[in-house]
Amino acid sequence: MKIKFDACIYKMQLIDHDIIKDRLLKHINETPYQETIKDKKNDPSTIWGSHITRCDWCYNDKKDRDWYKLFYPNFELSVKKLMRESNYDCPLDVEDVWFQQYEKNDSHGWHIHRSQFTGVYYLEFPRGSAQTEIVSPFSNKKKKVNVKEGDIIIFPSLWIHRATHNKDKRKTIISFNFNLNMTKCAIEDDYGGISHFD
């Protein structure tokens, strides 16, 4: 039995996307990356239906990457504002951040992530780029998220999702996984007071 409960996919623009986009792409293009990720038959470590031209997942926890140092302050400001509006007024604990570049016909098969939340920042997203598709855990229906360049989407990490086949020009995204540090969180209680968890 499934009991329906409200949940959502968050969507916002990264603060100052237009100002940092070109510098971010320059740093990404100068960053060491993994060889092409692609699925291989009978290899359980690969994701079926995936082909990603460039990716630095192997450095996902490295905070000294030039593109990461440029991206993170804007990301943190953007996400914290949204989280506060959703009663999550607590620090972010980011576990992973990495880029992926999709050329023509590249895709990322169905998968889930670790952590509480995951998401995508659409750094380079030409018209006609492949959208993210997410499966509703209640209805099992697929939904494509309508985004434009500069947008960030955030959703629970256990939601199944994929990137459909990219049709033409290169698409560059930054993905991330994070937790909310609820030990330092404050939530209004039923009597108008504030409950602190620390």
Side-chain angles (χ1 to χ4, degrees):
M1 178 173 151
K2 293 181 180 179
I3 299 171
K4 190 171 184 179
F5 190 82
D6 285 343
C8 64
I9 299 166
Y10 298 100
K11 184 173 91 167
M12 76 204 90
Q13 273 272 305
L14 181 81
I15 292 170
D16 291 335
H17 162 76
D18 293 332
I19 294 172
I20 67 171
K21 174 190 169 184
D22 290 340
R23 282 187 294 153
L24 266 177
L25 285 169
K26 180 178 183 294
H27 287 314
I28 283 173
N29 290 332
E30 295 168 352
T31 296
Y33 60 92
Q34 288 176 254
E35 294 180 16
T36 300
I37 295 173
K38 55 187 172 183
D39 62 333
K40 300 171 190 148
K41 291 194 184 293
N42 302 318
D43 183 348
S45 69
T46 62
I47 299 171
W48 180 83
S50 296
H51 189 287
I52 302 164
T53 297
R54 294 182 77 230
C55 174
D56 72 342
W57 166 254
C58 56
Y59 306 108
N60 64 309
D61 60 347
K62 303 291 184 198
K63 308 284 199 270
D64 60 350
R65 291 167 291 172
D66 288 336
W67 73 259
Y68 176 88
K69 290 187 282 189
L70 178 60
F71 164 72
Y72 188 76
N74 298 57
F75 168 77
E76 185 179 39
L77 282 172
S78 303
V79 174
K80 274 189 166 181
K81 180 178 184 297
L82 179 72
M83 293 289 106
R84 273 195 305 272
E85 293 167 0
S86 301
N87 280 328
Y88 295 118
D89 192 6
C90 46
L92 304 181
D93 287 337
V94 177
E95 287 197 310
D96 314 292
V97 183
W98 70 101
F99 76 79
Q100 293 182 182
Q101 287 188 315
Y102 297 80
E103 298 289 355
K104 186 175 182 179
N105 294 323
D106 281 359
S107 63
H108 195 169
W110 293 111
H111 63 286
I112 60 174
H113 289 225
R114 64 178 177 174
S115 306
Q116 295 165 343
F117 292 94
T118 189
V120 181
Y121 163 48
Y122 299 89
L123 169 59
E124 187 178 38
F125 198 73
R127 186 182 298 276
S129 292
Q131 296 172 311
T132 302
E133 197 169 48
I134 300 174
V135 173
S136 162
F138 179 74
S139 67
N140 296 328
K141 290 182 179 174
K142 294 180 277 190
K143 176 176 180 56
K144 285 187 178 176
V145 184
N146 185 21
V147 295
K148 62 183 182 299
E149 187 173 281
D151 280 347
I152 297 174
I153 61 169
I154 297 171
F155 52 94
S157 294
L158 56 80
W159 286 9
I160 303 167
H161 60 285
R162 70 175 175 177
T164 55
H165 284 84
N166 202 40
K167 293 178 183 173
D168 193 6
K169 296 178 181 175
R170 185 181 72 181
K171 174 180 87 168
T172 304
I173 60 134
I174 293 174
S175 284
F176 47 85
N177 298 325
F178 68 88
N179 295 308
L180 296 168
N181 188 343
M182 294 296 287
T183 61
K184 297 180 179 168
C185 192
I187 298 177
E188 186 174 341
D189 64 28
D190 293 340
Y191 307 103
I194 300 293
S195 297
H196 292 275
F197 302 91
D198 53 17

